[in-house]
Amino acid sequence: MSRITRALKTSAIATLVAAAAVTALNTAPGPASATLPNTAPVALSSSSVNGSITRSEVLARAQYWVDQEVPYSQTVWAPDSLGRNYRTDCSGLVSLAWHLSSSLTTWSLPQVSTQLATLDDLQPGDALNNIDRHVVLFTGWADAEHTVANIIEQPRSGLTARKNTYSRSYINSAGFRPYRYNKIAESAPSVPDAGMTDLAGGNFGGTSHADVVAVETTSGKLFYYPGIGDGKLGARVQAGTGWDSMSELTSGHFVGDAGLDLAAVDGDGKLWIYPGNGNGTFGNRVQAGTGWGSMHDLAGADVNGDGKSELLAVATDGKLFAYPGNGNGTFGNRVQIGTGWNAMDQIVSPGDLDKDGKADIVAREIETGKLYAYRGSGAIDAMNTLGARDQIGTGWNAMTNLVTGDFNGDGVGDVDAVEAKVGAAGTFFTYPGTGAINGVNTLGARVQIGTGW
């Protein structure tokens, strides 16, 4: 047994905890960090965190964990060659390889990647992902006929990061889909991509038009984009730094004042509320919970219509939960309001989409790229909280960073989204709500509102 195997297994035994968030205020300890005693950090990377990265660098970063014999764990973090920590499970390995700012999950990796049309489109550095089961890094075909794939993976408990092969028949039968990181590059970029991520929308500035806040991928700076009408955004203003350590940003009235607030999860799984000042800036953050690293696709929504936003989130088993807002930056005991939500991502609330006075939910089906609206019932009523879903769009697998709000000031919720581009920043579009949930006519024709996203 190698020194790294012994060190990490010892750390894992010391930190076995219940990871699921039972309520918003649980006190499960954060993940343990482990050091790699075999070598000091070695600069294998020329890319920046969340920036463009070459295929050769992706493979070199993943190989580092293979060389260090890093064992699988869902409760332990280990460093890359530069000392940045990632969770030592399958999605943590891919997050490390792509040089992401934090460890995503099999469900959230599609938010930073694009599904390929066929397995034959795979190139080294892409991923094979079954969102309900496992994700691996593709390193190349073993044969000209593309019948056997070479991969790197964090397989399961008791094994270490390793090279392996998957047959094409197994890939298909096991439900793996090919994905490409949106910022992959064939050569090192001369200018870093300054695209944005972790978008959240709403009236942060207190006007009649919704605004957008977003994190710049290369710098970790938080920017505020004021809404100026017709779905357009004005010149951005910096609102914070160090946000590359945060994820799952969403907006809502979490604190009992007029300002719109932000909620976000840090790398230790702590949930934080950032009270809005009503002018596009935010006050000192308040911790609202722990153990949130096991939840994904957070969305703020006033589900029960009491003026206080609930926090919706999906657990590891695909159950959708609503955490009732107390209006003071804390949340009550969660209520299960759905199942099977691991098949969905980009979960957002546009507010009242159909003018019935009740907040609705929009989400994308990962497998098909179809966009769905879920009518709100106006109450947190367990499995009856959301009504039957209506398909309101197709082809949304090409879009990412969905964000909602009344961007044109007509009293109806709209949807904004970034059209992803492989290896480059995306194009930002707004889709105005029509005031009714009526199939593919729920959203109007899109209008481009920005580039470099």
Side-chain angles (χ1 to χ4, degrees):
M1 183 182 295
S2 70
R3 294 172 60 197
I4 177 60
T5 303
R6 289 195 300 271
L8 285 181
K9 284 187 175 180
T10 300
S11 178
I13 292 171
T15 60
L16 288 176
V17 298
V22 177
T23 71
L25 297 175
N26 69 356
T27 56
S33 295
T35 57
L36 302 184
N38 288 354
T39 63
V42 178
L44 296 179
S45 296
S46 60
S47 63
S48 59
V49 174
N50 288 332
S52 296
I53 186 169
T54 63
R55 296 184 181 281
S56 60
E57 185 177 336
V58 168
L59 300 184
R61 288 177 59 82
Q63 182 64 40
Y64 181 73
W65 269 15
V66 175
D67 295 339
Q68 295 297 317
E69 300 176 9
V70 175
Y72 180 95
S73 175
Q74 291 184 325
T75 60
V76 176
W77 268 239
D80 64 3
S81 61
L82 300 174
R84 190 179 193 89
N85 284 333
Y86 294 87
R87 190 178 56 249
T88 59
D89 60 7
C90 62
S91 51
L93 171 67
V94 175
S95 300
L96 170 145
W98 288 350
H99 207 172
L100 303 182
S101 59
S102 61
S103 296
L104 299 187
T105 65
T106 52
W107 322 288
S108 56
L109 282 170
Q111 297 178 8
V112 298
S113 58
T114 300
Q115 186 173 340
L116 304 176
T118 71
L119 294 177
D120 295 313
D121 292 331
L122 282 166
Q123 296 185 43
D126 295 338
L128 288 165
N129 192 3
N130 176 330
I131 62 169
D132 291 319
R133 182 178 176 185
H134 192 43
V135 62
V136 303
L137 193 72
F138 176 81
T139 64
W141 292 106
D143 58 334
E145 292 76 23
H146 293 185
T147 64
V148 177
N150 294 317
I151 64 161
I152 294 177
E153 65 175 346
Q154 280 284 88
R156 60 183 181 275
S157 297
L159 298 175
T160 65
R162 67 182 184 183
K163 292 182 176 180
N164 198 8
T165 58
Y166 281 179
S167 68
R168 191 184 186 108
S169 60
Y170 172 73
I171 292 170
N172 287 323
S173 64
F176 286 96
R177 299 290 182 266
Y179 286 87
R180 178 164 299 158
Y181 179 43
N182 290 335
K183 295 184 179 179
I184 201 73
E186 302 307 329
S187 59
S190 57
V191 179
D193 171 21
M196 311 303 291
T197 188
D198 277 313
L199 277 60
N203 297 95
F204 297 105
T207 69
S208 61
H209 304 112
D211 318 302
V212 172
V213 295
V215 179
E216 189 174 58
T217 56
T218 56
S219 67
K221 295 177 181 178
L222 182 71
F223 285 94
Y224 162 65
Y225 295 78
I228 57 176
D230 296 327
K232 298 178 181 178
L233 302 173
R236 71 182 189 177
V237 178
Q238 184 177 331
T241 59
W243 281 77
D244 52 347
S245 64
M246 309 301 293
S247 63
E248 301 290 349
L249 269 66
T250 190
S251 61
H253 290 285
F254 304 118
V255 179
D257 56 25
L260 191 67
D261 315 307
L262 281 178
V265 179
D266 67 16
D268 291 332
K270 295 176 183 176
L271 176 68
W272 296 92
I273 303 298
Y274 295 77
N277 295 324
N279 59 0
T281 65
F282 302 92
N284 294 331
R285 69 181 187 176
V286 178
Q287 185 177 333
T290 59
W292 281 74
S294 62
M295 311 297 289
H296 64 95
D297 282 292
L298 274 60
D302 183 9
V303 176
N304 58 8
D306 65 355
K308 297 175 287 190
S309 294
E310 281 67 57
L311 198 56
L312 308 186
V314 182
T316 55
D317 57 3
K319 294 176 181 176
L320 179 65
F321 289 94
Y323 295 76
N326 294 326
N328 60 358
T330 65
F331 301 91
N333 292 338
R334 69 183 187 176
V335 179
Q336 183 183 336
I337 63 173
T339 59
W341 280 75
N342 275 347
M344 312 300 292
D345 71 349
Q346 300 290 334
I347 302 169
V348 291
S349 175
D352 187 5
L353 196 60
D354 56 359
K355 289 188 173 180
D356 66 352
K358 303 168 185 176
D360 307 306
I361 303 298
V362 171
R364 179 181 64 182
E365 191 171 57
I366 298 173
E367 181 73 17
T368 64
K370 294 176 181 177
L371 192 67
Y372 288 92
Y374 296 77
R375 298 175 189 266
S377 67
I380 302 177
D381 187 21
M383 303 299 283
N384 297 314
T385 300
L386 300 177
R389 70 181 188 178
D390 295 89
Q391 182 184 332
I392 63 173
T394 59
W396 281 75
N397 52 314
M399 310 303 292
T400 187
N401 281 312
L402 270 64
V403 60
T404 52
D406 182 8
F407 296 105
N408 57 12
D410 65 354
V412 178
D414 311 309
V415 178
D416 287 4
V418 177
E419 188 169 50
K421 296 181 180 179
V422 175
T427 304
F428 203 23
F429 291 92
T430 186
Y431 297 76
T434 61
I437 298 177
N438 54 354
V440 294
N441 297 314
T442 301
L443 301 176
R446 73 180 189 178
V447 177
Q448 181 177 328
I449 59 173
T451 59
W453 285 76

